[in-house]
């Protein structure tokens, strides 16, 4: 028999955290999240992800922010970080102004086509930076040293990935140890929206004044600080339904009630519609959203500001264009962790967003893993046939670096690996060995020539970025030869 | 010469003589001075192999009870069997079954792939087919899978990381697929030995044909089975589509890796002088390019 629901919450939360971590470390599916689902719909126009968001909205309208308590891996992670501290908690100031302002800021920027605020406020993104940037390489190192099962994900450490992951972990740990669910009640735009829904939800929690003896046990275990003993109120907007208070109350004074039922006390004191401070507040929020949208339009990649040009780098197939991808990618690093070719890298000083680095690997021709995993839709879903002709860059041949040209060494590594037949080794009169020749019409910029090129210090094949991903020629059509008749059974022996 | 230097020289000299001794002692030209090369045609890969190995004395002539066997196919590319870029999976399975039937203590299959290892093993169909036949399929995409060896007889690649399984095996069977090759012109038995070495970049940097010939000195295969059932005649070694494939339905089997490749050239109709690693292999005394020195058996299966 479920008494408080805390046990159930803990079980579900543990499963969600474990599966999210396993998802990043072992290339397994990550539990779908509300915030990324909305971003995915905005970025791709697909309606399917909205089902996830709708489910979360419904759940929140019925029971309050149970999503925040147990289904959001970042929320659960904060509890996991803070739980060994066993700190006695107290009521917290309601950081209304801060969270509504951040929501307005985020919404304004996203409406203007720039997902920048989500890079540090969308919970799965923050979780991903931490899991893929820091934990995955860390665990890969531990596994190598101790013989534990190695992660399936890309555990190669990168300076920028480690830095971003460490920053995320540090910030989260400080906030969680200081004020537990501060991120969820003051910063997270997803939490803020769900809070507004929960405030008007069906099933709410309240303190029953006739039973409450003000012992303060509930306040000491509340991670959001949403209980105010003085007024005997529980703020359903901030409450994440951890059920801790229900579990510890000695008098069962924390009770569920259905909104609208006669005799039930309102969860939050109602503001009068004519309240001038409320009006000012709403105008302020609207203003914040408008200013944010205007700034985003000006500053976003491809915007009108002089510095708004997106960084020139190779982006994954399905990114569309540098402008689109730079505006839409939140940097959750799930694609980096899942890339079987280990060629996707976190942003760094040269290219501040996720990109392909052909000194580390090559984009596998038959693979479209990143486009199937991207939770925010920054990498659009792309079919394999389209991916195999999607030009994400253009190969550049540097004869002065090529050992076949300069040292007359038989090599051919580039042409051998080229999956579209864009590169071939051609024997020129007077030169002792064949040298590479590029047919640009077939090149998709996949780096299968660049990565294996043995020339050093600089490779003889490099790939230059293209601003917009386009369709390369169809190699099957372009390289079509007259079909050879199938050999007959009784033909002459060839040997 | 100080002691360290002396020991080093001694070690290299020992390694060199070991390799030389092995090459000469293994009797490259068995019988009365001629090396047997079997060409079979007009059947599926499994039956081509059954007929062909019979003509070489059966699997028992190669595998003695209790010996460990390595079967080294070409699994270089993330492509399907129909696309002809890798060895036929059913052939790898059949060789595995026959080796186990001959009493092999175990059969190990691997290749150092060009595309992502997992994808190649899976999509070539070879990992599943070999495992079902009883083979152990081991990875070759980690440097830890390899061990360093030196070879004094080598011309360019005097030091190489060689796959551990190959070094541990009593019997090694080389099962390449015959293809046109943009760089090396033809890939068959000798070129397939790139897949036992870790550092392909070194090989490309240091005269690829010479390094191909050198690689075989590290462990000469005991039997070569060239799968020429589907032959990639253009856009090799990866191929662009099945239009690059001709169903020749041939198979070439021999103990002599150079002789097998020399005959393979005739199947893709290419002049031997344009494939430099063959002569380099002959210079290493790995086999003969001279068809007059071969005992060629032709079988219509």
């Amino acid at each position: 028999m479920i008494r408080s629901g805390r046990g159930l919450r803990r079980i579900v939360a543990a499963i969600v955290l474990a599966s999210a971590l396993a998802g990043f470390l072992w290339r397994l599916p990550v539990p779908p999240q509300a915030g990324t689902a909305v971003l995915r719909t905005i970025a791709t126009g697909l309606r399917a992800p909205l089902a996830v968001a709708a489910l979360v909205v419904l759940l929140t309208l019925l029971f309050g922010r149970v999503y925040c308590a147990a289904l959001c891996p970042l929320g659960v992670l904060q509890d996991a970080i803070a739980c060994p501290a066993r700190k006695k908690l107290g009521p917290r100031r309601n950081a209304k102004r801060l969270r509504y302002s951040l929501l307005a800021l985020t919404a304004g920027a996203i409406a203007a086509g720039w997902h920048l605020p989500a890079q540090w406020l969308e919970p799965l993104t923050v979780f991903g930076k931490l899991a893929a940037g820091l934990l995955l390489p860390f665990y890969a190192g531990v596994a190598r040293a101790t013989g534990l099962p190695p992660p399936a994900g890309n555990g190669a450490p990168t300076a920028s990935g480690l830095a971003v992951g460490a920053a995320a972990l540090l910030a989260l740990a400080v906030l969680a140890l200081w004020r537990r669910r501060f991120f969820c009640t003051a910063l997270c735009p997803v939490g803020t929206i769900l809070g507004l829904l929960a405030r008007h939800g069906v099933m709410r929690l309240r303190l029953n004044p006739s039973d409450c003896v003000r012992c303060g046990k509930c306040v000491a275990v509340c991670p959001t600080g949403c209980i105010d003993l003085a007024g005997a109120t529980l703020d359903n907007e901030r409450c994440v339904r951890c059920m801790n208070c229900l579990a510890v109350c000695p008098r069962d004074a924390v009770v569920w009630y259905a909104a609208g039922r006669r005799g039930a006390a309102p969860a939050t004191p109602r503001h009068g519609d004519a309240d001038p401070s409320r009006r000012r507040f709403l105008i302020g929020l609207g203003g914040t959203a408008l200013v944010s949208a205007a700034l985003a339009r000006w500053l976003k990649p491809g915007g009108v500001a002089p510095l708004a040009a997106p960084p020139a780098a190779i982006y994954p197939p399905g990114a569309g264009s540098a402008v689109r991808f730079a505006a839409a990618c939140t940097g959750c690093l799930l694609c980096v962790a899942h890339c079987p070719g280990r060629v996707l890298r976190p942003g760094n000083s040269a290219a501040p967003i996720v990109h392909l680095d052909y000194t580390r690997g090559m984009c596998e021709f038959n693979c479209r893993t990143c486009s199937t995993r991207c939770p925010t839709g920054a990498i659009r879903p792309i079919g394999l046939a389209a991916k195999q002709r999607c030009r994400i860059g253009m190969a550049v041949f540097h004869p002065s670096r090529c050992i076949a040209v300069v040292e007359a060494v038989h090599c051919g590594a580039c042409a051998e690996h080229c999956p579209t037949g864009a590169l071939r080794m051609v024997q020129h009169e007077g030169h002792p060995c064949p040298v590479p020749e590029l047919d640009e019409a077939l090149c998709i910029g996949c780096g299968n020539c660049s990565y294996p090129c043995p020339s050093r210090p600089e490779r003889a094949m490099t790939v230059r970025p293209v601003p917009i991903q386009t369709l390369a020629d169809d190699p099957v059509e372009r390289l079509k030869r007259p079909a050879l008749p199938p050999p007959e059974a009784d033909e002459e022996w060839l040997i | 010469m100080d002691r360290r230097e002396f020991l080093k020289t001694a070690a290299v000299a020992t390694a060199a003589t070991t390799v030389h001794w092995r090459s000469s002692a293994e009797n490259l030209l068995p019988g009365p001075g001629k090396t047997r090369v079997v060409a079979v045609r007009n059947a599926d890969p499994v039956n081509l192999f059954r007929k062909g190995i019979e003509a070489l004395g059966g699997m028992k002539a190669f595998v003695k009870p209790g010996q460990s066997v390595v079967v080294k196919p070409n699994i270089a590319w993330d492509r399907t069997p129909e696309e002809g870029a890798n060895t036929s999976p059913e052939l790898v399975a059949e060789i595995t079954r026959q080796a186990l039937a001959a009493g092999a203590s175990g059969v190990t299959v691997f290749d150092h792939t060009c595309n992502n290892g997992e994808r190649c093993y899976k999509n070539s169909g070879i990992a599943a087919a070999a495992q079902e036949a009883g083979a152990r399929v081991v990875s070759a995409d980690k440097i830890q899978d390899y061990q360093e060896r030196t070879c004094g007889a080598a011309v360019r690649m005097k030091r190489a990381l060689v796959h551990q399984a190959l070094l541990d095996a009593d019997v090694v069977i080389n099962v390449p697929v015959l293809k046109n090759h943009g760089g090396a012109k033809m890939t068959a038995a000798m070129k397939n030995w790139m897949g036992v070495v870790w550092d392909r970049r070194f090989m490309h940097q240091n005269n690829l044909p010479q390094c191909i010939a050198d690689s075989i000195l590290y462990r000469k295969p005991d039997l070569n089975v060239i799968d020429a059932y589907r032959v990639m005649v253009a856009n090799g070694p990866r191929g662009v589509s099945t239009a690059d494939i001709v169903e020749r339905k041939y198979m070439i089997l021999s103990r002599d890796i150079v002789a097998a490749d020399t005959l393979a050239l005739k199947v893709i109709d290419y002049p031997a002088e344009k494939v430099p690693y063959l002569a380099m292999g002959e210079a290493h005394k790995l086999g003969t390019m001279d068809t007059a020195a071969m005992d060629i058996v032709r079988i219509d299966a």
Side-chain angles (χ1 to χ4, degrees), chain A residues 364 366 424 454 481 489 495, chain B residues 78 116 119 205 235 243 298:
Chain A
E364 291 276 336
N366 292 340
R424 51 193 56 237
R481 303 167 308 108
I495 291 172
Chain B
D78 177 13
N116 177 279
R119 300 187 69 96
Q205 267 168 342
N235 298 319
R298 296 177 183 84

Side-chain angles (χ1 to χ4, degrees), chain A residues 111-201:
Chain A
W114 197 13
H115 298 182
L116 177 73
Q119 288 186 14
W120 285 99
L121 295 175
E122 193 285 307
L124 183 69
T125 299
V126 178
F127 183 85
K129 288 183 200 297
L130 198 154
L134 185 67
L135 295 185
L136 176 52
F138 176 74
Y139 178 75
V142 170
R144 255 197 310 280
T146 60
L148 285 167
N154 177 10
T158 55
S160 54
L162 291 174
V164 165
L169 181 63
L170 190 72
L172 202 71
V174 166
L175 290 179
L177 290 172
W178 175 55
R179 290 198 168 169
R180 281 292 185 102
R181 294 288 198 119
F182 179 81
F183 180 86
C184 311
T185 52
L187 306 179
C188 176
V190 180
T192 304
I193 294 173
L194 295 182
L196 289 169
L197 296 171
R199 198 164 105 180
H200 303 285

Side-chain angles (χ1 to χ4, degrees), chain B residues 50-74:
Chain B
R50 286 181 183 162
K51 284 275 169 21
I53 194 75
E54 234 179 72
L56 281 176
M59 196 54 114
K60 286 197 157 61
F62 295 89
V63 180
K64 303 279 172 267
Q67 285 188 316
S68 61
V69 177
V70 154
V71 174
K72 160 64 177 79
N74 185 338

